[in-house]
Short mmCIF file of all heavy atoms in Angstrom, two decimals:
data_model
loop_
_atom_site.label_atom_id
_atom_site.label_comp_id
_atom_site.label_asym_id
_atom_site.label_seq_id
_atom_site.Cartn_x
_atom_site.Cartn_y
_atom_site.Cartn_z
N ALA A 28 76.10 19.59 21.31
CA ALA A 28 75.74 18.19 21.12
C ALA A 28 74.24 18.05 21.05
O ALA A 28 73.50 18.85 21.61
CB ALA A 28 76.30 17.35 22.26
N ARG A 29 73.83 17.02 20.35
CA ARG A 29 72.39 16.68 20.31
C ARG A 29 72.22 15.29 20.90
O ARG A 29 72.86 14.33 20.46
CB ARG A 29 71.89 16.73 18.87
CG ARG A 29 70.49 16.16 18.70
CD ARG A 29 69.84 16.64 17.43
NE ARG A 29 69.40 18.03 17.56
CZ ARG A 29 68.73 18.69 16.61
NH1 ARG A 29 68.44 18.09 15.49
NH2 ARG A 29 68.35 19.94 16.80
N VAL A 30 71.36 15.20 21.91
CA VAL A 30 71.04 13.93 22.54
C VAL A 30 69.63 13.53 22.10
O VAL A 30 68.70 14.32 22.25
CB VAL A 30 71.10 14.04 24.08
CG1 VAL A 30 70.65 12.74 24.71
CG2 VAL A 30 72.49 14.43 24.53
N THR A 31 69.49 12.35 21.53
CA THR A 31 68.18 11.88 21.10
C THR A 31 67.77 10.70 21.96
O THR A 31 68.51 9.74 22.11
CB THR A 31 68.22 11.45 19.61
OG1 THR A 31 68.83 12.47 18.85
CG2 THR A 31 66.81 11.19 19.08
N VAL A 32 66.59 10.81 22.55
CA VAL A 32 66.07 9.75 23.43
C VAL A 32 64.81 9.18 22.79
O VAL A 32 63.86 9.92 22.52
CB VAL A 32 65.76 10.31 24.83
CG1 VAL A 32 65.14 9.24 25.72
CG2 VAL A 32 67.03 10.86 25.47
N THR A 33 64.82 7.88 22.51
CA THR A 33 63.66 7.25 21.88
C THR A 33 63.22 6.05 22.70
O THR A 33 64.02 5.45 23.41
CB THR A 33 64.01 6.77 20.46
OG1 THR A 33 65.22 6.00 20.52
CG2 THR A 33 64.23 7.93 19.51
N LEU A 34 61.96 5.71 22.59
CA LEU A 34 61.43 4.53 23.28
C LEU A 34 62.02 3.26 22.68
O LEU A 34 62.21 3.17 21.47
CB LEU A 34 59.91 4.49 23.16
CG LEU A 34 59.14 5.45 24.06
CD1 LEU A 34 57.67 5.42 23.68
CD2 LEU A 34 59.30 5.07 25.51
N ARG A 62 56.42 7.00 16.23
CA ARG A 62 56.94 6.86 17.59
C ARG A 62 57.52 8.21 17.98
O ARG A 62 58.30 8.80 17.24
CB ARG A 62 58.07 5.82 17.65
CG ARG A 62 57.72 4.47 17.07
CD ARG A 62 57.08 3.53 18.04
NE ARG A 62 57.98 3.05 19.06
CZ ARG A 62 57.56 2.38 20.14
NH1 ARG A 62 56.26 2.15 20.30
NH2 ARG A 62 58.40 1.95 21.05
N GLN A 63 57.12 8.68 19.15
CA GLN A 63 57.64 9.99 19.57
C GLN A 63 58.79 9.85 20.55
O GLN A 63 58.79 8.96 21.40
CB GLN A 63 56.52 10.83 20.20
CG GLN A 63 57.05 12.21 20.54
CD GLN A 63 55.99 13.20 20.95
OE1 GLN A 63 54.82 12.91 20.99
NE2 GLN A 63 56.43 14.41 21.25
N GLY A 64 59.76 10.70 20.41
CA GLY A 64 60.89 10.72 21.33
C GLY A 64 61.24 12.15 21.70
O GLY A 64 60.52 13.09 21.37
N LYS A 65 62.37 12.30 22.39
CA LYS A 65 62.79 13.62 22.84
C LYS A 65 64.17 13.94 22.30
O LYS A 65 64.97 13.03 22.04
CB LYS A 65 62.86 13.64 24.37
CG LYS A 65 61.51 13.70 25.04
CD LYS A 65 61.62 13.54 26.53
CE LYS A 65 61.80 12.09 26.91
NZ LYS A 65 61.73 11.86 28.37
N VAL A 66 64.43 15.21 22.14
CA VAL A 66 65.76 15.62 21.71
C VAL A 66 66.23 16.76 22.61
O VAL A 66 65.43 17.59 23.04
CB VAL A 66 65.72 16.00 20.21
CG1 VAL A 66 64.89 17.24 19.97
CG2 VAL A 66 67.10 16.18 19.65
N PHE A 67 67.49 16.71 22.99
CA PHE A 67 68.06 17.75 23.85
C PHE A 67 69.27 18.35 23.13
O PHE A 67 70.19 17.61 22.76
CB PHE A 67 68.53 17.17 25.19
CG PHE A 67 67.46 16.45 25.96
CD1 PHE A 67 67.33 15.09 25.88
CD2 PHE A 67 66.56 17.16 26.75
CE1 PHE A 67 66.33 14.42 26.58
CE2 PHE A 67 65.57 16.49 27.46
CZ PHE A 67 65.45 15.13 27.38
N ASP A 68 69.25 19.66 22.93
CA ASP A 68 70.43 20.33 22.38
C ASP A 68 71.19 20.93 23.55
O ASP A 68 70.71 21.84 24.23
CB ASP A 68 70.00 21.41 21.38
CG ASP A 68 69.48 20.80 20.09
OD1 ASP A 68 70.05 19.78 19.67
OD2 ASP A 68 68.51 21.32 19.52
N VAL A 69 72.38 20.39 23.77
CA VAL A 69 73.16 20.76 24.96
C VAL A 69 74.44 21.47 24.54
O VAL A 69 75.10 21.05 23.59
CB VAL A 69 73.52 19.48 25.77
CG1 VAL A 69 74.23 19.86 27.06
CG2 VAL A 69 72.29 18.66 26.07
N LEU A 83 78.15 13.54 28.54
CA LEU A 83 76.79 13.47 27.98
C LEU A 83 76.19 12.09 28.18
O LEU A 83 75.01 11.95 28.48
CB LEU A 83 76.83 13.83 26.49
CG LEU A 83 76.99 15.33 26.22
CD1 LEU A 83 77.50 15.58 24.82
CD2 LEU A 83 75.66 16.04 26.42
N CYS A 87 72.81 11.19 30.33
CA CYS A 87 71.70 10.38 29.83
C CYS A 87 71.37 9.29 30.84
O CYS A 87 70.20 9.05 31.15
CB CYS A 87 72.06 9.74 28.50
SG CYS A 87 72.08 10.93 27.15
N LEU A 91 68.64 12.24 31.68
CA LEU A 91 67.90 12.53 30.44
C LEU A 91 67.08 11.36 29.92
O LEU A 91 66.04 11.56 29.31
CB LEU A 91 68.88 13.02 29.36
CG LEU A 91 69.68 14.28 29.70
CD1 LEU A 91 70.61 14.65 28.55
CD2 LEU A 91 68.75 15.44 30.01
N ALA A 92 67.55 10.14 30.16
CA ALA A 92 66.83 8.98 29.64
C ALA A 92 66.46 8.04 30.77
O ALA A 92 67.18 7.95 31.77
CB ALA A 92 67.68 8.25 28.61
N GLU A 97 63.97 3.40 27.52
CA GLU A 97 64.41 4.30 26.45
C GLU A 97 65.86 4.04 26.02
O GLU A 97 66.70 3.66 26.84
CB GLU A 97 64.29 5.77 26.92
CG GLU A 97 62.85 6.25 27.06
CD GLU A 97 62.74 7.61 27.74
OE1 GLU A 97 63.60 7.94 28.58
OE2 GLU A 97 61.78 8.34 27.45
N ASN A 98 66.10 4.25 24.73
CA ASN A 98 67.46 4.28 24.20
C ASN A 98 67.89 5.72 24.04
O ASN A 98 67.05 6.60 23.86
CB ASN A 98 67.50 3.62 22.82
CG ASN A 98 67.21 2.15 22.86
OD1 ASN A 98 67.66 1.44 23.76
ND2 ASN A 98 66.44 1.67 21.89
N TYR A 99 69.20 5.95 24.08
CA TYR A 99 69.66 7.31 23.78
C TYR A 99 70.86 7.27 22.85
O TYR A 99 71.57 6.28 22.78
CB TYR A 99 70.01 8.07 25.07
CG TYR A 99 71.14 7.46 25.87
CD1 TYR A 99 72.48 7.75 25.59
CD2 TYR A 99 70.87 6.59 26.92
CE1 TYR A 99 73.50 7.19 26.33
CE2 TYR A 99 71.89 6.03 27.66
CZ TYR A 99 73.19 6.33 27.36
OH TYR A 99 74.21 5.76 28.08
N SER A 100 71.03 8.37 22.12
CA SER A 100 72.24 8.49 21.31
C SER A 100 72.75 9.92 21.42
O SER A 100 71.97 10.87 21.51
CB SER A 100 71.94 8.13 19.86
OG SER A 100 71.17 9.13 19.25
N VAL A 101 74.06 10.04 21.45
CA VAL A 101 74.71 11.33 21.61
C VAL A 101 75.48 11.65 20.34
O VAL A 101 76.24 10.82 19.85
CB VAL A 101 75.69 11.29 22.81
CG1 VAL A 101 76.52 12.58 22.87
CG2 VAL A 101 74.94 11.08 24.11
N THR A 102 75.24 12.82 19.76
CA THR A 102 75.97 13.25 18.57
C THR A 102 76.57 14.62 18.82
O THR A 102 75.84 15.56 19.15
CB THR A 102 75.01 13.38 17.36
OG1 THR A 102 74.04 12.35 17.43
CG2 THR A 102 75.78 13.29 16.05
N ILE A 104 77.93 18.03 17.48
CA ILE A 104 77.64 18.77 16.24
C ILE A 104 78.87 19.59 15.82
O ILE A 104 79.48 20.25 16.64
CB ILE A 104 76.42 19.70 16.41
CG1 ILE A 104 75.24 18.90 16.97
CG2 ILE A 104 76.03 20.32 15.08
CD1 ILE A 104 74.04 19.75 17.32
N ARG B 24 62.86 10.52 10.08
CA ARG B 24 62.91 11.14 11.41
C ARG B 24 62.63 12.62 11.27
O ARG B 24 63.28 13.32 10.50
CB ARG B 24 64.28 10.91 12.03
CG ARG B 24 64.52 11.72 13.30
CD ARG B 24 65.63 11.14 14.13
NE ARG B 24 65.20 9.92 14.81
CZ ARG B 24 65.95 9.24 15.66
NH1 ARG B 24 67.17 9.62 15.91
NH2 ARG B 24 65.49 8.14 16.25
N VAL B 25 61.63 13.08 12.01
CA VAL B 25 61.27 14.50 12.03
C VAL B 25 61.72 15.07 13.36
O VAL B 25 61.39 14.54 14.42
CB VAL B 25 59.74 14.67 11.88
CG1 VAL B 25 59.36 16.13 12.01
CG2 VAL B 25 59.27 14.11 10.55
N THR B 26 62.51 16.12 13.31
CA THR B 26 62.98 16.76 14.54
C THR B 26 62.36 18.14 14.65
O THR B 26 62.45 18.94 13.71
CB THR B 26 64.52 16.88 14.54
OG1 THR B 26 65.07 15.61 14.20
CG2 THR B 26 65.03 17.30 15.90
N VAL B 27 61.73 18.40 15.77
CA VAL B 27 61.07 19.69 16.00
C VAL B 27 61.75 20.37 17.17
O VAL B 27 61.82 19.81 18.27
CB VAL B 27 59.56 19.49 16.30
CG1 VAL B 27 58.90 20.80 16.63
CG2 VAL B 27 58.87 18.82 15.12
N THR B 28 62.29 21.56 16.93
CA THR B 28 63.00 22.28 18.00
C THR B 28 62.42 23.68 18.13
O THR B 28 61.89 24.23 17.18
CB THR B 28 64.50 22.38 17.69
OG1 THR B 28 64.65 22.88 16.36
CG2 THR B 28 65.18 21.03 17.79
N LEU B 29 62.56 24.24 19.31
CA LEU B 29 62.10 25.61 19.54
C LEU B 29 62.97 26.59 18.76
O LEU B 29 64.18 26.40 18.64
CB LEU B 29 62.18 25.95 21.03
CG LEU B 29 61.09 25.36 21.90
CD1 LEU B 29 61.41 25.62 23.37
CD2 LEU B 29 59.73 25.96 21.57
N ASP B 35 62.40 28.43 27.01
CA ASP B 35 62.29 26.98 27.17
C ASP B 35 62.46 26.62 28.65
O ASP B 35 63.53 26.23 29.09
CB ASP B 35 63.36 26.31 26.30
CG ASP B 35 63.30 24.80 26.40
OD1 ASP B 35 62.34 24.28 27.00
OD2 ASP B 35 64.20 24.14 25.87
N GLN B 37 61.44 24.13 30.34
CA GLN B 37 61.79 22.73 30.54
C GLN B 37 63.31 22.53 30.39
O GLN B 37 63.95 21.85 31.19
CB GLN B 37 61.05 21.90 29.49
CG GLN B 37 60.70 20.50 29.93
CD GLN B 37 59.77 19.81 28.94
OE1 GLN B 37 59.31 20.41 27.96
NE2 GLN B 37 59.50 18.55 29.20
N GLY B 38 63.85 23.16 29.36
CA GLY B 38 65.30 23.09 29.15
C GLY B 38 66.06 23.71 30.32
O GLY B 38 67.07 23.17 30.77
N ILE B 41 66.14 21.36 33.23
CA ILE B 41 67.12 20.28 33.02
C ILE B 41 68.53 20.81 33.29
O ILE B 41 69.36 20.13 33.90
CB ILE B 41 67.00 19.73 31.59
CG1 ILE B 41 65.64 19.06 31.41
CG2 ILE B 41 68.12 18.76 31.27
CD1 ILE B 41 65.29 18.76 29.96
N SER B 55 73.90 25.54 28.07
CA SER B 55 72.47 25.69 27.82
C SER B 55 71.88 24.37 27.37
O SER B 55 72.54 23.55 26.75
CB SER B 55 72.22 26.77 26.78
OG SER B 55 71.95 26.21 25.52
N VAL B 56 70.62 24.15 27.72
CA VAL B 56 69.90 22.95 27.28
C VAL B 56 68.59 23.42 26.66
O VAL B 56 67.89 24.24 27.24
CB VAL B 56 69.61 21.99 28.45
CG1 VAL B 56 68.84 20.77 27.96
CG2 VAL B 56 70.87 21.57 29.15
N ARG B 57 68.28 22.93 25.47
CA ARG B 57 67.00 23.22 24.82
C ARG B 57 66.36 21.89 24.49
O ARG B 57 67.00 21.01 23.90
CB ARG B 57 67.21 23.99 23.50
CG ARG B 57 68.03 25.25 23.63
CD ARG B 57 67.25 26.46 23.99
NE ARG B 57 66.37 26.95 22.92
CZ ARG B 57 65.45 27.87 23.13
NH1 ARG B 57 65.26 28.38 24.35
NH2 ARG B 57 64.69 28.29 22.14
N GLN B 58 65.10 21.74 24.89
CA GLN B 58 64.46 20.46 24.61
C GLN B 58 63.57 20.55 23.38
O GLN B 58 62.92 21.56 23.14
CB GLN B 58 63.61 20.01 25.81
CG GLN B 58 63.03 18.62 25.54
CD GLN B 58 62.38 17.97 26.73
OE1 GLN B 58 62.34 18.52 27.82
NE2 GLN B 58 61.88 16.77 26.52
N GLY B 59 63.57 19.49 22.60
CA GLY B 59 62.70 19.41 21.43
C GLY B 59 62.07 18.05 21.34
O GLY B 59 62.15 17.24 22.27
N LYS B 60 61.42 17.79 20.21
CA LYS B 60 60.70 16.53 20.02
C LYS B 60 61.23 15.84 18.77
O LYS B 60 61.71 16.49 17.84
CB LYS B 60 59.21 16.80 19.82
CG LYS B 60 58.49 17.14 21.10
CD LYS B 60 57.07 17.55 20.85
CE LYS B 60 56.99 18.99 20.37
NZ LYS B 60 55.61 19.49 20.29
N VAL B 61 61.12 14.53 18.78
CA VAL B 61 61.51 13.79 17.59
C VAL B 61 60.40 12.78 17.28
O VAL B 61 59.79 12.22 18.18
CB VAL B 61 62.90 13.14 17.81
CG1 VAL B 61 62.85 12.07 18.88
CG2 VAL B 61 63.47 12.58 16.56
N PHE B 62 60.10 12.63 16.00
CA PHE B 62 59.07 11.68 15.57
C PHE B 62 59.69 10.72 14.56
O PHE B 62 60.24 11.16 13.55
CB PHE B 62 57.90 12.41 14.90
CG PHE B 62 57.26 13.46 15.75
CD1 PHE B 62 57.64 14.79 15.64
CD2 PHE B 62 56.28 13.14 16.67
CE1 PHE B 62 57.05 15.78 16.43
CE2 PHE B 62 55.68 14.11 17.46
CZ PHE B 62 56.07 15.43 17.34
N ASP B 63 59.62 9.43 14.86
CA ASP B 63 60.06 8.44 13.88
C ASP B 63 58.82 7.93 13.16
O ASP B 63 57.96 7.30 13.75
CB ASP B 63 60.80 7.30 14.58
CG ASP B 63 62.17 7.74 15.08
OD1 ASP B 63 62.81 8.53 14.36
OD2 ASP B 63 62.58 7.33 16.17
N GLU B 92 58.29 27.01 16.51
CA GLU B 92 59.16 25.85 16.34
C GLU B 92 59.69 25.71 14.91
O GLU B 92 59.01 26.04 13.95
CB GLU B 92 58.40 24.55 16.71
CG GLU B 92 58.10 24.42 18.19
CD GLU B 92 57.15 23.26 18.52
OE1 GLU B 92 56.32 22.91 17.67
OE2 GLU B 92 57.24 22.72 19.63
N ASN B 93 60.90 25.20 14.80
CA ASN B 93 61.47 24.79 13.52
C ASN B 93 61.35 23.28 13.39
O ASN B 93 61.33 22.58 14.40
CB ASN B 93 62.95 25.15 13.46
CG ASN B 93 63.20 26.63 13.44
OD1 ASN B 93 62.49 27.38 12.78
ND2 ASN B 93 64.22 27.07 14.18
N TYR B 94 61.32 22.80 12.17
CA TYR B 94 61.34 21.35 11.99
C TYR B 94 62.31 20.96 10.89
O TYR B 94 62.62 21.76 10.01
CB TYR B 94 59.95 20.80 11.69
CG TYR B 94 59.33 21.31 10.41
CD1 TYR B 94 59.59 20.70 9.19
CD2 TYR B 94 58.47 22.39 10.42
CE1 TYR B 94 59.03 21.17 8.01
CE2 TYR B 94 57.91 22.88 9.26
CZ TYR B 94 58.18 22.26 8.06
OH TYR B 94 57.63 22.74 6.90
N SER B 95 62.81 19.74 10.99
CA SER B 95 63.62 19.21 9.89
C SER B 95 63.24 17.77 9.66
O SER B 95 62.94 17.02 10.59
CB SER B 95 65.11 19.35 10.21
OG SER B 95 65.47 18.43 11.20
#
Side-chain angles (χ1 to χ4, degrees):
Chain A
R29 170 160 285 184
V30 175
T31 311
V32 176
T33 51
L34 283 172
R62 307 272 290 169
Q63 184 170 0
K65 285 173 281 187
V66 67
F67 303 97
D68 288 322
V69 185
L83 284 160
C87 288
L91 301 180
E97 290 171 330
N98 294 320
Y99 62 85
S100 72
V101 172
T102 323
I104 308 174
Chain B
R24 170 161 286 183
V25 175
T26 310
V27 176
T28 50
L29 284 172
D35 181 8
Q37 210 171 355
I41 295 167
S55 101
V56 179
R57 306 274 290 169
Q58 184 170 359
K60 284 174 281 188
V61 66
F62 303 95
D63 288 322
E92 290 171 331
N93 293 319
Y94 62 86
S95 72

